[in-house]
Short mmCIF file of all heavy atoms in Angstrom, two decimals:
data_model
loop_
_atom_site.label_atom_id
_atom_site.label_comp_id
_atom_site.label_asym_id
_atom_site.label_seq_id
_atom_site.Cartn_x
_atom_site.Cartn_y
_atom_site.Cartn_z
N MET A 31 -9.49 -43.10 -15.54
CA MET A 31 -8.20 -43.29 -14.92
C MET A 31 -8.46 -43.39 -13.38
O MET A 31 -9.35 -42.63 -12.94
CB MET A 31 -7.19 -42.14 -15.23
CG MET A 31 -6.79 -42.14 -16.71
SD MET A 31 -5.62 -40.76 -16.98
CE MET A 31 -6.69 -39.36 -17.02
N HIS A 32 -7.74 -44.27 -12.72
CA HIS A 32 -8.03 -44.41 -11.30
C HIS A 32 -6.98 -43.75 -10.44
O HIS A 32 -5.79 -43.75 -10.77
CB HIS A 32 -8.06 -45.90 -10.96
CG HIS A 32 -8.78 -46.18 -9.60
ND1 HIS A 32 -8.14 -46.15 -8.40
CD2 HIS A 32 -10.09 -46.46 -9.35
CE1 HIS A 32 -8.99 -46.38 -7.40
NE2 HIS A 32 -10.21 -46.60 -7.95
N VAL A 35 -3.02 -45.85 -6.52
CA VAL A 35 -1.85 -46.44 -7.21
C VAL A 35 -1.56 -47.87 -6.78
O VAL A 35 -0.54 -48.39 -7.19
CB VAL A 35 -0.62 -45.56 -6.94
CG1 VAL A 35 -0.85 -44.17 -7.52
CG2 VAL A 35 -0.29 -45.45 -5.45
N LEU A 40 -5.98 -51.32 -8.81
CA LEU A 40 -6.01 -51.00 -10.27
C LEU A 40 -6.56 -52.23 -11.07
O LEU A 40 -7.31 -52.03 -12.05
CB LEU A 40 -4.61 -50.65 -10.76
CG LEU A 40 -4.10 -49.24 -10.45
CD1 LEU A 40 -2.65 -49.09 -10.85
CD2 LEU A 40 -4.93 -48.21 -11.24
N CYS A 46 -5.64 -47.74 -16.17
CA CYS A 46 -4.68 -46.66 -16.15
C CYS A 46 -4.75 -45.84 -14.89
O CYS A 46 -5.83 -45.51 -14.36
CB CYS A 46 -4.87 -45.67 -17.33
SG CYS A 46 -4.84 -46.50 -18.92
N GLU A 47 -3.57 -45.41 -14.40
CA GLU A 47 -3.51 -44.63 -13.18
C GLU A 47 -3.82 -43.25 -13.57
O GLU A 47 -3.71 -42.79 -14.71
CB GLU A 47 -2.02 -44.73 -12.68
CG GLU A 47 -1.85 -44.07 -11.31
CD GLU A 47 -0.40 -44.25 -10.86
OE1 GLU A 47 0.26 -45.15 -11.36
OE2 GLU A 47 0.05 -43.43 -9.99
N LYS A 48 -4.28 -42.39 -12.58
CA LYS A 48 -4.51 -40.96 -12.88
C LYS A 48 -3.26 -40.24 -13.41
O LYS A 48 -2.22 -40.41 -12.91
CB LYS A 48 -4.94 -40.26 -11.59
CG LYS A 48 -6.38 -40.62 -11.08
CD LYS A 48 -7.42 -40.03 -11.92
CE LYS A 48 -8.82 -40.24 -11.23
NZ LYS A 48 -9.91 -39.71 -12.12
N ALA A 49 -3.52 -39.41 -14.37
CA ALA A 49 -2.40 -38.65 -14.97
C ALA A 49 -1.65 -37.81 -14.02
O ALA A 49 -0.39 -37.68 -14.04
CB ALA A 49 -2.85 -37.86 -16.18
N TYR A 50 -2.42 -37.17 -13.07
CA TYR A 50 -1.74 -36.27 -12.15
C TYR A 50 -1.02 -37.01 -11.00
O TYR A 50 -0.49 -36.37 -10.12
CB TYR A 50 -2.75 -35.25 -11.59
CG TYR A 50 -3.98 -35.72 -10.93
CD1 TYR A 50 -3.93 -36.42 -9.72
CD2 TYR A 50 -5.23 -35.55 -11.57
CE1 TYR A 50 -5.12 -36.87 -9.06
CE2 TYR A 50 -6.41 -35.97 -10.91
CZ TYR A 50 -6.34 -36.67 -9.75
OH TYR A 50 -7.49 -37.12 -9.11
N ASN A 51 -0.94 -38.34 -11.08
CA ASN A 51 -0.12 -39.02 -10.18
C ASN A 51 1.30 -39.22 -10.83
O ASN A 51 2.23 -39.83 -10.27
CB ASN A 51 -0.60 -40.43 -9.94
CG ASN A 51 -1.75 -40.45 -8.94
OD1 ASN A 51 -1.87 -39.45 -8.17
ND2 ASN A 51 -2.54 -41.51 -8.93
N CYS A 52 1.49 -38.57 -12.02
CA CYS A 52 2.82 -38.58 -12.71
C CYS A 52 3.37 -40.06 -12.84
O CYS A 52 4.41 -40.27 -12.30
CB CYS A 52 3.77 -37.69 -12.06
SG CYS A 52 3.41 -35.96 -12.15
N PRO A 53 2.57 -40.94 -13.41
CA PRO A 53 3.03 -42.28 -13.44
C PRO A 53 4.27 -42.49 -14.33
O PRO A 53 4.56 -41.67 -15.17
CB PRO A 53 1.83 -43.07 -14.11
CG PRO A 53 1.11 -42.00 -14.84
CD PRO A 53 1.31 -40.71 -14.11
N ALA A 54 5.00 -43.60 -14.03
CA ALA A 54 6.11 -43.91 -14.83
C ALA A 54 5.57 -44.38 -16.24
O ALA A 54 4.35 -44.56 -16.44
CB ALA A 54 6.96 -45.01 -14.30
N GLU A 55 6.46 -44.59 -17.21
CA GLU A 55 5.99 -44.92 -18.51
C GLU A 55 5.20 -46.19 -18.46
O GLU A 55 5.62 -47.23 -17.82
CB GLU A 55 7.24 -45.10 -19.45
CG GLU A 55 6.80 -45.42 -20.91
CD GLU A 55 7.96 -45.36 -21.85
OE1 GLU A 55 9.04 -45.18 -21.37
OE2 GLU A 55 7.80 -45.64 -23.07
N ASP A 56 4.05 -46.19 -18.97
CA ASP A 56 3.14 -47.41 -18.93
C ASP A 56 3.37 -48.25 -20.13
O ASP A 56 3.58 -47.80 -21.27
CB ASP A 56 1.65 -46.91 -18.94
CG ASP A 56 0.73 -47.97 -18.34
OD1 ASP A 56 0.61 -49.00 -18.99
OD2 ASP A 56 0.16 -47.77 -17.20
N CYS A 61 -2.92 -46.22 -22.19
CA CYS A 61 -2.68 -45.35 -21.03
C CYS A 61 -1.76 -44.18 -21.46
O CYS A 61 -2.06 -43.01 -21.09
CB CYS A 61 -1.99 -46.12 -19.93
SG CYS A 61 -3.09 -47.32 -19.17
N GLU A 62 -0.68 -44.43 -22.18
CA GLU A 62 0.20 -43.36 -22.62
C GLU A 62 -0.56 -42.39 -23.48
O GLU A 62 -0.33 -41.15 -23.33
CB GLU A 62 1.38 -43.96 -23.36
CG GLU A 62 2.39 -44.61 -22.48
CD GLU A 62 3.11 -43.71 -21.55
OE1 GLU A 62 3.63 -42.64 -22.01
OE2 GLU A 62 3.06 -43.92 -20.30
N TYR A 65 -2.69 -40.28 -21.08
CA TYR A 65 -1.86 -39.29 -20.35
C TYR A 65 -1.53 -38.10 -21.23
O TYR A 65 -1.61 -36.95 -20.84
CB TYR A 65 -0.60 -39.97 -19.90
CG TYR A 65 -0.86 -41.08 -18.87
CD1 TYR A 65 0.12 -42.16 -18.77
CD2 TYR A 65 -1.93 -41.16 -18.06
CE1 TYR A 65 -0.10 -43.22 -17.86
CE2 TYR A 65 -2.17 -42.18 -17.20
CZ TYR A 65 -1.20 -43.18 -17.15
OH TYR A 65 -1.46 -44.24 -16.27
N PHE A 69 -2.65 -34.27 -20.39
CA PHE A 69 -1.74 -33.12 -20.10
C PHE A 69 -1.80 -32.08 -21.18
O PHE A 69 -1.64 -30.88 -20.94
CB PHE A 69 -0.32 -33.68 -20.00
CG PHE A 69 0.02 -34.29 -18.69
CD1 PHE A 69 0.24 -35.65 -18.60
CD2 PHE A 69 0.19 -33.49 -17.53
CE1 PHE A 69 0.56 -36.25 -17.35
CE2 PHE A 69 0.46 -34.03 -16.32
CZ PHE A 69 0.71 -35.46 -16.21
N PRO A 95 10.37 -36.22 -16.50
CA PRO A 95 10.92 -37.50 -17.08
C PRO A 95 10.43 -37.74 -18.45
O PRO A 95 11.05 -38.41 -19.25
CB PRO A 95 10.43 -38.55 -16.05
CG PRO A 95 9.21 -37.89 -15.42
CD PRO A 95 9.50 -36.41 -15.42
N LYS A 96 9.21 -37.23 -18.81
CA LYS A 96 8.69 -37.42 -20.20
C LYS A 96 8.06 -36.19 -20.64
O LYS A 96 6.82 -35.98 -20.61
CB LYS A 96 7.66 -38.61 -20.16
CG LYS A 96 8.20 -39.99 -19.91
CD LYS A 96 7.32 -41.01 -20.44
CE LYS A 96 7.29 -40.96 -22.02
NZ LYS A 96 6.51 -42.06 -22.61
N ARG A 99 5.19 -35.97 -23.05
CA ARG A 99 3.90 -36.46 -22.61
C ARG A 99 3.24 -35.57 -21.61
O ARG A 99 2.08 -35.13 -21.73
CB ARG A 99 4.03 -37.85 -21.91
CG ARG A 99 2.72 -38.45 -21.39
CD ARG A 99 2.98 -39.70 -20.57
NE ARG A 99 3.52 -39.41 -19.30
CZ ARG A 99 3.81 -40.26 -18.40
NH1 ARG A 99 3.66 -41.55 -18.63
NH2 ARG A 99 4.31 -39.91 -17.16
N ASP A 100 4.00 -35.22 -20.49
CA ASP A 100 3.33 -34.47 -19.44
C ASP A 100 3.63 -32.89 -19.49
O ASP A 100 3.28 -32.21 -18.58
CB ASP A 100 3.87 -34.93 -18.09
CG ASP A 100 5.36 -34.93 -17.88
OD1 ASP A 100 5.92 -33.83 -18.19
OD2 ASP A 100 5.93 -35.93 -17.46
N CYS A 104 5.27 -32.46 -14.43
CA CYS A 104 5.71 -33.43 -13.48
C CYS A 104 7.26 -33.22 -13.30
O CYS A 104 7.98 -33.15 -14.28
CB CYS A 104 5.53 -34.84 -14.02
SG CYS A 104 3.74 -35.35 -14.04
N GLY A 106 8.96 -35.37 -11.59
CA GLY A 106 9.47 -36.68 -11.54
C GLY A 106 8.32 -37.68 -11.61
O GLY A 106 7.24 -37.37 -12.20
N THR A 107 8.41 -38.85 -11.00
CA THR A 107 7.24 -39.78 -10.97
C THR A 107 6.67 -39.76 -9.61
O THR A 107 7.30 -39.48 -8.55
CB THR A 107 7.72 -41.26 -11.30
OG1 THR A 107 8.78 -41.61 -10.45
CG2 THR A 107 8.26 -41.28 -12.78
N GLY A 108 5.36 -39.99 -9.53
CA GLY A 108 4.66 -40.04 -8.26
C GLY A 108 3.82 -38.75 -8.11
O GLY A 108 4.08 -37.70 -8.63
N LYS A 109 2.74 -38.87 -7.31
CA LYS A 109 1.77 -37.78 -7.15
C LYS A 109 2.43 -36.52 -6.57
O LYS A 109 2.06 -35.39 -6.95
CB LYS A 109 0.68 -38.23 -6.21
CG LYS A 109 -0.48 -37.27 -6.12
CD LYS A 109 -1.66 -37.90 -5.31
CE LYS A 109 -2.83 -36.93 -5.26
NZ LYS A 109 -3.94 -37.53 -4.49
N SER A 111 5.16 -35.24 -7.29
CA SER A 111 5.90 -34.56 -8.38
C SER A 111 5.08 -33.70 -9.23
O SER A 111 5.61 -32.93 -10.07
CB SER A 111 6.69 -35.58 -9.22
OG SER A 111 7.59 -36.36 -8.38
N TYR A 112 3.80 -33.79 -9.14
CA TYR A 112 2.87 -33.04 -9.98
C TYR A 112 2.71 -31.54 -9.58
O TYR A 112 2.61 -31.25 -8.38
CB TYR A 112 1.44 -33.65 -9.93
CG TYR A 112 0.39 -32.94 -10.77
CD1 TYR A 112 0.49 -32.88 -12.15
CD2 TYR A 112 -0.64 -32.36 -10.10
CE1 TYR A 112 -0.43 -32.21 -12.86
CE2 TYR A 112 -1.60 -31.74 -10.84
CZ TYR A 112 -1.53 -31.57 -12.21
OH TYR A 112 -2.48 -30.93 -12.97
#
Side-chain angles (χ1 to χ4, degrees):
M31 295 180 284
H32 198 273
V35 297
L40 280 171
C46 302
E47 190 178 339
K48 288 285 189 181
Y50 54 70
N51 284 340
C52 294
E55 184 172 1
D56 201 293
C61 292
E62 285 296 305
Y65 298 153
F69 280 111
K96 292 202 68 177
R99 180 190 74 179
D100 58 48
C104 291
T107 57
K109 188 174 182 178
S111 299
Y112 176 65

